[in-house]
Amino acid sequence: MSVETQKETLGFQTEVKQLLHLMIHSLYSNKEIFLRELISNASDAADKLRFEALAKPELLEGGAELKIRLSFDKDAKTVTLEDNGIGMNRDEVIAHLGTIAKSGTADFLKNLSGDQKKDSHLIGQFGVGFYSAFIVADQVEVFTRRAGAAASEGVHWSSKGEGEFEVASIDKAERGTRIVLHLKSGEEEFADGWRLRNIVKKYSDHIALPIELPKEQHGEDAPAEVEWETVNRASALWTRPRTEIKDEEYQEFYKHVGHDFENPLSWSHNKVEGKLEYTSLLYVPGRAPFDLYHREAPKGLKLYVQRVFIMDQADQFLPLYLRFIKGVVDSNDLSLNVSREILQSGPVIDSMKSALTKRVLDMLEKLAKDKPDDYKAFWKAFGQVLKEGPAEDFANKEKIAALLRFASTAGEGDEQSVSLADYLSRAKDGQDKIYYLTGESYAQIKNSPHLEVFRKKGIEVLLLTDRIDEWLMSYLTEFDGKQFVDVARGDLDLGKLDSEEDKKAQEEVAKAKEGLIERLKGALGEQVAEVRVSHRLTDSPAILAIGEQDLGLQMRQILEASGQKVPDAKPIFEFNPAHPLIERLDAEPDEDRFTDLSRILFDQAALAAGDSLKDPAAYVQRLNKLLVELSA
Ligand code: ADP
Ligand code: MG
C-alpha cells in the first residue's frame, strides 16, 4: 500500500452520528440495500464525470469506458466496489463523507424519539445513502482521486462508523473511487459472488453503466488473471420500451433517481416524437421528504441530453406546486452545453414544461381514479403543496381543482376526502353554488353557527382548515361552472334553494325588526359595519359575517404574522329574530342593560367564529353582572 501523508482524524457532524445510529438499527432487516446505495453513488459519479468531460475531455484520461467493478475476498471478509467516475478531492471527501448538507437535517433529527420502531420510518423520509455501508461493515475505507487531479492527490478515508473518521493523502494511479467494506462478523454472507450478483440484479439492473463481477471460476485450470463479467443490463432504463420494463425495475430506478428508500406511488413514462423529441419518466413519491417545505430543498428532474447526464435538480421543467415529482427528462433538442441560465426560458423549455405539467396532472387524476387509497396517501403527503397550484398555474386551474380533496359536512370526520366532483354529485336541486367555510381547525368549525341553515336544508358545506385555504380560495372562484361561496361572507343568498315564500317571509321579518336593528346599531356602535336580520341561523342567537370584500380571519393572521399591517375590517352583526335571547333583548326597556346584552351577544358571536376578543375582561364582567342579577 502506498505511503500515507497528512493524516488527520476528524469527528462526524452530530447529525451524521444520529443518522448512522438510526440507520444501523432500523435497516437490519433490509441490509442488502447498502449495495444499491453505493452503486447509485458510483453511477452518479460516472454521470458527473461524463458531464464535466464535455467541456474538458482530458478528464477522461484515456479511460472513457465508465464502469463499476464489484469484488470480494472471502478470507479477508471484504467487499470492494470500484468506479472510474469523477472521484473526490480531500475537501470533498471531508464534506461529503463527514457531514450532511441537507438543510433542516438537525431539526428533522430532533424528532427522533429513541424508540427504534417509531424512528425507523423516519429513515424513509430522510434517505439512506453512503452511510448505509455501516449496516454491514464495521470498518469502511474509501480510496479516491478526482478526475484531472495528479496521482499524488489521492485521498484515503477510513472509519469504524463510531463518531470519527481519518483522512490521509495517498497516491492513486487511477481516477475514481474504491470503497472497501470490512464486513461485520455475522455478515460474511456478502463476501460471495452468487449473493452479490443477485443483489445487483435485484436492485441495480437499471443502472446504465456496466457493473462487473469476477467471472465464477470452475475447475483446476482457472486463469491467473481475473476475468470480469457484466451482470446488469447496463442500458438507461428510460430508453427502453415501456412494455419491456417490469414494475420492479421502475421502482428500483425510482429509488436511484429519487434518492428514496421506498417505492413510488405511481409513474409515467413517455417518449415524445415530432417537433420536440424527448423522453420523460416521472414519479410520484410515496411520502413527503422531511424537507418538503424548506426553500433550499432539492427539487426538479434529472436532465439528460441525448443520454448524457447534464444536471440534477433541473427545476425548470415543472411548476413549483409539483416540486415533489421526481424523475428524468432526456431531451434531443437541447444542446449538450446547456446551462441553468439558458434553461430559464425559451420556447423549447416552455413547451416541455407545459407538456410535463399536463402529464403529471393526468397521472394524478389516474391515480385518484384507479387507486383511491394510494391517492389518499398522496393527498396526505402533498395535498398542501398541490393547493399552491391554482395561484401559480392559471391555465390548469380546473384540472388542479379536480384533484383537490376537502373535509366536508358530508365527509368522514376531519379527513380530507371529498372531491369537488363528489360534492357536486350530491348537490341539491337548484343548487348552483359550492359552499365552503374556512377556519383554524375542523373541531373549531364543524359546529359553527354559519352551518345551521345548511344543516337544516341538508346542503353540504366544504370545511377548509389548512393555513393556506383562504388564500387558495381567493384564486379558485369556480369549478365546473359553479361559483364558490364562503358561507361566512356577505349577505348569504341561497338562490333557488330558498323558496319564494321563504324570501318573502324574510323580508317581512326584516321590516318588522327595523326598530331592533336601530337599537342594536346604537349599542354596538363602531364595532360593526352593519346590523341585519340573519337567515343563516336556526339555533344560535347571533353571528358575525365578513364583508364581501374584507379579508377573512386566516388571511389576517397570515399577514399579521408576516409583520404586515392589516386594514381594520368591521364585521356584520346578524341576529336570529326567532331566538328567545333576541326576543328577550327586543323587549328590554332598560337601555344600559340592552347595551350590555348586545355586547355579550356580539362577543359570543366573535368567539363562535374562532376569533379572539379585543377586550375579554369586559366580556367576562358583563356576563358576570348578568349572572349575579339572575341569581339575586
Ligand atoms: P446522495 O447520493 O443522496 O448525495 P450519499 O450519502 O449517497 O448521498 O452520498 C453523499 C455524497 O458523497 C454524494 O453526493 C457524492 O458527492 C459523494 N460520493 C459518494 N460516493 C461517491 C463516489 N463513488 N464517487 C464520487 N463521489 C461520491
Ligand atoms: Mg447516494
Side-chain angles (χ1 to χ4, degrees), residues 206-225:
H206 61 79
I207 292 289
L209 24 155
I211 303 170
E212 299 181 346
L213 260 82
K215 205 167 185 166
E216 295 290 325
Q217 313 289 354
H218 299 286
E220 299 294 300
D221 45 31
E225 187 102 331

Side-chain angles (χ1 to χ4, degrees), residues 579-596:
H579 195 280
L581 261 180
I582 297 295
E583 285 172 352
R584 155 87 176 71
L585 186 72
D586 204 5
E588 176 58 56
D590 183 297
E591 277 315 309
D592 282 346
R593 192 178 289 144
F594 180 89
T595 302
D596 275 352

Side-chain angles (χ1 to χ4, degrees), residues 41-42 44-45 48 83 86-88 96-97 128-131 177 259:
N41 287 347
D44 288 345
K48 284 178 203 154
D83 69 63
I86 191 75
M88 287 176 271
H96 298 320
L97 310 184
V128 188
F130 169 80
Y131 302 106
T177 305
H259 295 258

Side-chain angles (χ1 to χ4, degrees), residues 129-155:
F130 169 80
Y131 302 106
S132 63
F134 288 101
I135 304 172
V136 298
D138 51 17
Q139 194 194 352
V140 176
E141 291 188 275
V142 178
F143 303 86
T144 184
R145 182 192 31 103
R146 204 173 200 289
S152 60
E153 289 175 49
V155 186

Side-chain angles (χ1 to χ4, degrees), residues 543-561:
I543 201 168
L544 299 181
I546 312 162
E548 203 68 72
Q549 305 301 333
D550 292 338
L551 288 175
L553 198 55
Q554 252 188 352
M555 283 289 268
R556 285 174 166 279
Q557 285 166 347
I558 292 175
L559 290 174
E560 273 163 4

Side-chain angles (χ1 to χ4, degrees), residues 422-602:
D422 294 338
Y423 179 94
L424 288 177
S425 73
R426 294 191 283 254
K428 290 267 159 204
D429 278 348
Q431 180 182 346
D432 59 355
K433 303 272 193 300
I434 300 172
Y435 295 101
Y436 71 93
L437 177 62
T438 61
E440 218 163 89
S441 69
Y442 176 79
Q444 190 207 59
I445 60 172
K446 69 171 198 285
N447 294 319
S448 164
H450 284 290
L451 299 173
E452 286 173 12
V453 66
F454 293 92
R455 201 161 286 134
K456 187 173 123 197
K457 292 181 184 284
I459 302 167
E460 182 171 356
V461 178
L462 301 174
L463 302 174
L464 313 193
T465 53
D466 284 336
R467 232 176 88 87
I468 65 164
D469 279 343
E470 201 182 304
W471 174 82
L472 162 71
M473 296 316 284
S474 67
Y475 288 92
L476 211 57
T477 46
E478 55 174 63
F479 176 76
D480 199 12
K482 310 271 190 305
Q483 252 187 320
F484 285 98
V485 171
D486 179 349
V487 304
R489 189 176 285 278
D491 193 6
L492 186 67
D493 178 4
L494 290 178
K496 293 191 192 118
L497 294 168
D498 267 339
S499 64
E500 284 308 312
E501 291 116 78
D502 282 349
K503 281 186 187 153
K504 215 159 175 189
Q506 281 164 13
E507 273 163 35
E508 271 163 27
V509 177
K511 236 194 185 128
K513 293 295 167 189
E514 263 167 10
L516 177 58
I517 292 175
E518 285 313 309
R519 277 179 89 193
L520 277 164
K521 276 186 187 162
L524 298 173
E526 289 298 293
Q527 283 178 290
V528 294
E530 205 191 324
V531 174
R532 65 187 174 214
V533 172
S534 182
H535 35 271
R536 305 177 205 248
L537 298 174
T538 56
D539 303 323
S540 302
I543 201 168
L544 299 181
I546 312 162
E548 203 68 72
Q549 305 301 333
D550 292 338
L551 288 175
L553 198 55
Q554 252 188 352
M555 283 289 268
R556 285 174 166 279
Q557 285 166 347
I558 292 175
L559 290 174
E560 273 163 4
S562 71
Q564 297 193 50
K565 212 169 146 35
V566 185
D568 240 355
K570 292 176 194 167
I572 298 153
F573 183 82
E574 290 191 358
F575 62 89
N576 172 3
H579 195 280
L581 261 180
I582 297 295
E583 285 172 352
R584 155 87 176 71
L585 186 72
D586 204 5
E588 176 58 56
D590 183 297
E591 277 315 309
D592 282 346
R593 192 178 289 144
F594 180 89
T595 302
D596 275 352
L597 261 173
S598 326
R599 294 200 170 164
I600 286 172
L601 285 174
F602 176 89

Side-chain angles (χ1 to χ4, degrees), residues 48-229:
K48 284 178 203 154
L49 173 63
R50 220 179 262 130
F51 172 66
E52 288 192 19
L54 290 174
K56 288 195 230 159
E58 66 274 17
L59 291 183
L60 293 170
E61 301 171 31
E65 209 184 297
L66 302 184
K67 61 179 169 244
I68 298 170
R69 278 186 166 171
L70 183 59
S71 56
F72 57 93
D73 182 332
K74 271 196 166 57
D75 301 325
K77 296 181 195 158
T78 59
V79 171
T80 298
L81 186 83
E82 177 150 26
D83 69 63
N84 56 356
I86 191 75
M88 287 176 271
N89 61 31
R90 191 179 179 112
D91 289 345
E92 288 167 333
V93 167
I94 293 172
H96 298 320
L97 310 184
T99 62
I100 298 171
K102 302 186 200 180
S103 54
T105 302
D107 278 344
F108 174 73
L109 290 171
K110 280 200 192 104
N111 296 330
L112 293 177
S113 62
D115 176 338
Q116 275 161 25
K117 270 232 180 74
K118 272 200 206 130
D119 289 346
S120 64
H121 78 273
L122 292 175
I123 194 80
Q125 251 175 304
F126 195 84
V128 188
F130 169 80
Y131 302 106
S132 63
F134 288 101
I135 304 172
V136 298
D138 51 17
Q139 194 194 352
V140 176
E141 291 188 275
V142 178
F143 303 86
T144 184
R145 182 192 31 103
R146 204 173 200 289
S152 60
E153 289 175 49
V155 186
H156 177 206
W157 178 101
S158 170
S159 174
K160 293 188 170 7
E162 286 170 344
E164 47 191 39
F165 59 95
E166 283 176 0
V167 274
S169 297
I170 51 161
D171 277 352
K172 188 172 183 295
E174 327 75 33
R175 67 151 194 268
T177 305
R178 180 167 73 249
I179 298 176
V180 181
L181 308 180
H182 298 269
L183 298 171
K184 289 179 185 171
S185 90
E187 309 296 353
E188 296 84 355
E189 60 175 279
F190 292 107
D192 178 89
W194 185 81
R195 181 86 163 97
L196 292 175
R197 208 168 279 253
N198 276 319
I199 302 176
V200 170
K201 279 301 246 182
K202 181 165 170 198
Y203 297 109
S204 307
D205 199 42
H206 61 79
I207 292 289
L209 24 155
I211 303 170
E212 299 181 346
L213 260 82
K215 205 167 185 166
E216 295 290 325
Q217 313 289 354
H218 299 286
E220 299 294 300
D221 45 31
E225 187 102 331
V226 183
E227 275 188 75
W228 295 91
E229 154 179 66

